[in-house]
Amino acid sequence: MTLDLFGNDDARHDSPQTDELGPGAFVLRGFAQPQLTTLQADIDAVIAQAPLRHWLTPGGKRMSVAMTNCGEVGWISDRMGYRYGAHDPLSRQPWPSMPASFEVLAQHAAEAAGYRDFRPDACLINRYALDARLTLHQDRDERELGAPIVSVSLGLPAIFLWGGLQRSDRTRRVRLAPGDVVVWGGPSRLAYHGIASVEGSFDAQAVRYNLTFRQAR
Ligand code: MD6
Ligand code: FE
């Protein structure tokens, strides 16, 4: 389905394919495709400064997804809970600054989905090996729940789970390919979601990356 996200016919014909997941939640198919090479180089540069690591959940389990951050604040998990912090607990340094390529893409994607003035201050970088999963959860550690989240997929495809506002609501399985961008906010901002599986490839080294941009503080 192609939506009229811009309110005029020209934009509708120019816009790429868009799937509506729920009210205020969209998959912009291939939106980041032209930027994939630049984005990957910038991911590698961030990781060189703030290495990927497996956080512990508050319950003490090692997360299967490896994570790091860039921007003014980063998402952290340990025995003390989930939170945002301005420093990398490993190096005690500020998180690397957000690459311009990230910020521009996130703002454009938010605008394409109807969210103006998105100013992300946090970018979580997730790396999924073939056996990594992210169980059903809500993103609710951000102070500004009025702002949307922008999520960019790179590398191997994955099956994204999209649920409702209750954990027990039934979930839909959505395949996310490299370059797909999910934008969600408004009435869907607290919807449950997760990653069920990553699709394998012949390249044993291959992984999936995901960037999620938030207005955290
Ligand atoms: C992922 N994404 O795609 C995990 N959260 O790897 C998320 O948990 C997520 O894609 C909030 C909004 C969009 C997302
Ligand atoms: Fe999430």
Side-chain angles (χ1 to χ4, degrees):
M1 167 173 60
T2 298
L3 292 175
D4 179 10
L5 297 173
F6 299 86
N8 69 64
D9 282 352
D10 287 354
R12 187 193 313 159
H13 295 308
D14 291 348
S15 71
Q17 199 207 325
T18 301
D19 297 333
E20 187 173 9
L21 293 173
F26 308 94
V27 184
L28 311 178
R29 296 286 175 194
F31 191 90
Q33 196 102 54
Q35 276 84 49
L36 286 176
T37 308
T38 304
L39 294 172
Q40 187 62 56
D42 286 339
I43 289 171
D44 294 342
V46 170
I47 291 171
Q49 289 182 71
L52 290 157
R53 79 290 307 263
H54 297 268
W55 298 123
L56 290 183
T57 66
K61 282 196 196 151
R62 177 184 187 268
M63 296 183 72
S64 63
V65 180
M67 301 184 178
T68 189
N69 295 282
C70 59
E72 286 158 47
V73 289
W75 188 83
I76 296 166
S77 176
D78 61 20
R79 288 282 194 175
M80 281 148 53
Y82 304 130
R83 64 195 175 277
Y84 284 91
H87 295 85
D88 179 345
L90 293 186
S91 65
R92 303 202 185 98
Q93 297 297 306
W95 294 106
S97 56
M98 196 182 298
S101 64
F102 286 21
E103 199 170 347
V104 169
L105 172 67
Q107 285 175 1
H108 283 166
E111 200 159 315
Y115 296 100
R116 283 165 185 264
D117 301 320
F118 181 54
R119 292 281 173 271
D121 56 10
C123 173
L124 173 63
I125 301 176
N126 294 146
R127 185 192 64 193
Y128 295 75
L130 279 182
D131 58 353
R133 311 250 176 292
L134 197 60
T135 56
L136 218 54
H137 66 279
Q138 290 172 300
D139 287 23
R140 56 174 187 202
D141 304 316
E142 300 74 29
R143 203 166 297 165
E144 192 40 76
L145 291 177
I149 297 178
V150 173
S151 164
V152 181
S153 291
L154 301 91
L156 295 176
I159 302 297
F160 181 63
L161 296 173
W162 168 259
L165 294 175
Q166 307 291 328
R167 186 183 286 281
S168 57
D169 288 347
R170 65 163 299 179
T171 55
R172 188 178 143 186
R173 297 166 73 83
V174 181
R175 184 176 186 271
L176 295 181
D180 288 351
V181 179
V182 185
V183 181
W184 76 44
S188 292
R189 179 63 180 72
L190 290 176
Y192 278 88
H193 59 279
I195 292 288
S197 60
V198 174
E199 250 176 53
S201 88
F202 294 107
D203 177 1
Q205 306 301 311
V207 293
R208 170 178 186 256
Y209 282 99
N210 165 262
L211 306 174
T212 52
F213 297 91
R214 302 100 189 273
Q215 241 162 261
R217 356 181 98 161

